Amino acid sequence: MNSKSIHSLSEFLLHAGTDYRIFDLGRGVYPVASQTFLDIENGKVCPPRPRQQHAWYAVVFWQKNPQAQRYIWFVKFPLDEQGLLIQASRNHFLQIIVDALGNQIAGEQGSDELPDNPYTFVPSQQLMAQFSAIARQALDDAKSEALEQAKQYLQAPAIIDWQQLPVQAIADLAVAIDEKQAAHIIENFGHFSEPFLDTLFSSLESVSLPDNLQTFFIAQLSLVAEDEAQKHSMLGLLRALSTPEYHPQINQALNELLDKISQPDMHLLSVIAGRHDAQLDTLTAQRFLEAAAKADADGAYKHELFIGLFSDLVQIPTLRRTMLTLARAHQENPLMQAPLSALFNKAG
């Protein structure tokens, strides 16, 4: 096999005799259909969840037998101005893996190890735990041995030592959350340790919450919004409420949050941009950009905060038109005039 005889990463994995699954890691962790990934690779469609002008993926592959070991590559590819994957970068990565591994990428005579290159990355511990939980659920692999202990902690936080719970056990708990477990969270919410809640909130980012838990978290978000001492909890609740679909109640909660927060900052805006792009309809997106402009000015970021948030959101395919329309329509908006001028000057 050589890089000139193959034309995509998908084709390489098939020629190497592996089964594989793709997961999008751009904004949460979501499985990607093989054909969709191929279309993204070939520049036919834009990656739906880009971040920082890149598409981020986990590639899980294994030999075609039931006991085969799983191998994982974490890869990121830069995007062009239209939000499409730059195929020259994908081709360069193909050259690297063919030169390094040939067609033996997994198994006794092969390896998944790649030389240093600009396309691979190491996820944070929390993202790795999220990904591992979601991937193992999708592939029906074994869960954390401490999962039962995590479930017991939900029911009896005063009895179970939270410090004995691995991050992976909490992530495995989160991806399979049901209404019964959600009820335990609601009942014992005030008794959980803060580190446990931090991990739980992050682990729920890519999970469809049971209705009772989603309603509870929205109510909690409203309670802590105006309390500076509860800011950490507010950001955690926002992460947990992340969903890839528009949700009227979550959209309303975000708008109420933007009403209540007199001094928005980089951390709040980053969580909204990174986890709630689906809630940014035209009005909410405008209010978000106004909040970004205010935070930019208050923090003396010289418009880099505003430009960074705008540049990140404009590459999301479902938001591109909204963001460009708002940028054109609000050039005389007193709040956005200066950062938009800086944005256009930088783009020009």
Side-chain angles (χ1 to χ4, degrees):
M1 189 192 305
N2 63 69
S3 60
K4 293 183 179 179
S5 68
I6 56 174
H7 303 93
S8 70
L9 183 55
S10 305
E11 189 177 347
F12 175 85
L13 292 165
L14 289 172
H15 274 283
T18 68
D19 278 338
Y20 68 94
R21 297 291 185 275
I22 308 293
F23 296 84
D24 187 335
L25 269 57
R27 296 170 185 272
V29 180
Y30 296 96
V32 182
S34 298
Q35 184 60 50
T36 300
F37 183 68
L38 182 59
D39 289 343
I40 290 170
E41 278 199 84
N42 291 332
K44 293 182 179 180
V45 297
C46 296
R49 300 179 183 90
R51 175 169 51 88
Q52 299 174 347
Q53 287 79 56
H54 284 73
W56 305 71
Y57 295 105
V59 181
V60 185
F61 56 95
W62 62 95
Q63 288 186 316
K64 295 182 178 181
N65 69 70
Q67 305 302 318
Q69 179 181 347
R70 312 285 194 204
Y71 296 88
I72 307 167
W73 290 333
F74 295 102
V75 297
K76 61 175 183 175
F77 296 112
L79 307 179
D80 64 19
E81 291 183 358
Q82 301 301 313
L84 294 168
L85 191 145
I86 297 175
Q87 292 181 56
S89 299
R90 186 276 315 272
N91 294 342
H92 186 207
F93 181 67
L94 279 176
Q95 182 69 58
I96 290 168
I97 60 178
V98 170
D99 289 349
L101 305 177
N103 62 357
Q104 294 291 329
I105 64 171
E108 292 181 4
Q109 298 178 338
S111 169
D112 68 326
E113 294 297 323
L114 296 176
D116 288 341
N117 68 84
Y119 308 109
T120 54
F121 68 97
V122 179
S124 66
Q125 181 191 24
Q126 181 58 53
L127 180 57
M128 180 70 87
Q130 275 188 67
F131 158 72
S132 180
I134 289 171
R136 289 193 291 185
Q137 184 185 53
L139 298 170
D140 200 26
D141 287 348
K143 308 299 188 293
S144 168
E145 293 180 359
L147 176 58
E148 286 305 315
Q149 192 176 9
K151 290 179 180 178
Q152 291 169 14
Y153 180 69
L154 290 187
Q155 299 179 58
I159 298 174
I160 305 298
D161 182 3
W162 64 268
Q163 296 182 73
Q164 301 302 313
L165 300 178
V167 170
Q168 191 60 62
I170 300 171
D172 284 347
L173 172 69
V175 299
I177 198 85
D178 58 26
E179 287 196 359
K180 182 178 179 180
Q181 291 159 352
H184 291 316
I185 293 173
I186 294 168
E187 180 181 359
N188 296 316
F189 189 72
H191 301 288
F192 296 131
S193 74
E194 187 172 302
F196 171 80
L197 282 177
D198 281 348
T199 303
L200 179 66
F201 288 151
S202 294
S203 299
L204 289 169
E205 285 180 346
S206 307
V207 175
S208 180
L209 297 179
D211 289 344
N212 58 340
L213 189 58
Q214 186 178 73
T215 300
F216 177 75
F217 280 169
I218 289 173
Q220 288 296 309
L221 183 64
S222 179
L223 289 175
V224 302
E226 296 180 270
D227 186 349
E228 184 65 26
Q230 295 290 318
K231 182 178 176 181
H232 192 72
S233 295
M234 177 183 71
L235 297 179
L237 287 161
L238 276 173
R239 291 196 299 271
L241 285 166
S242 171
T243 173
E245 306 293 338
Y246 178 82
H247 192 287
Q249 284 72 40
I250 296 176
N251 171 271
Q252 181 181 347
L254 284 181
N255 277 283
E256 290 176 356
L257 196 61
L258 292 171
D259 278 338
K260 293 177 179 178
I261 302 295
S262 58
Q263 290 185 304
D265 64 15
M266 177 179 65
H267 303 291
L268 171 63
L269 296 170
S270 295
V271 173
I272 294 176
R275 292 295 179 263
H276 288 286
D277 54 278
Q279 311 310 324
L280 297 181
D281 56 18
T282 302
L283 178 58
T284 311
Q286 177 187 329
R287 301 187 67 197
F288 174 83
L289 289 177
E290 289 174 343
K294 186 177 189 308
D296 190 295
D298 290 347
Y301 289 103
K302 299 181 179 179
H303 309 313
E304 289 303 315
L305 175 61
F306 181 93
I307 291 172
L309 290 167
F310 183 94
S311 300
D312 190 43
L313 291 172
V314 77
Q315 284 206 308
I316 299 174
T318 54
L319 269 181
R320 184 173 181 82
R321 178 174 293 183
T322 297
M323 300 302 290
L324 292 175
T325 299
L326 287 171
R328 287 192 296 266
H330 288 270
Q331 295 179 60
E332 304 303 321
N333 183 321
L335 284 171
M336 287 194 274
Q337 187 172 18
L340 282 175
S341 177
L343 173 70
F344 292 138
N345 288 337
K346 188 171 184 177

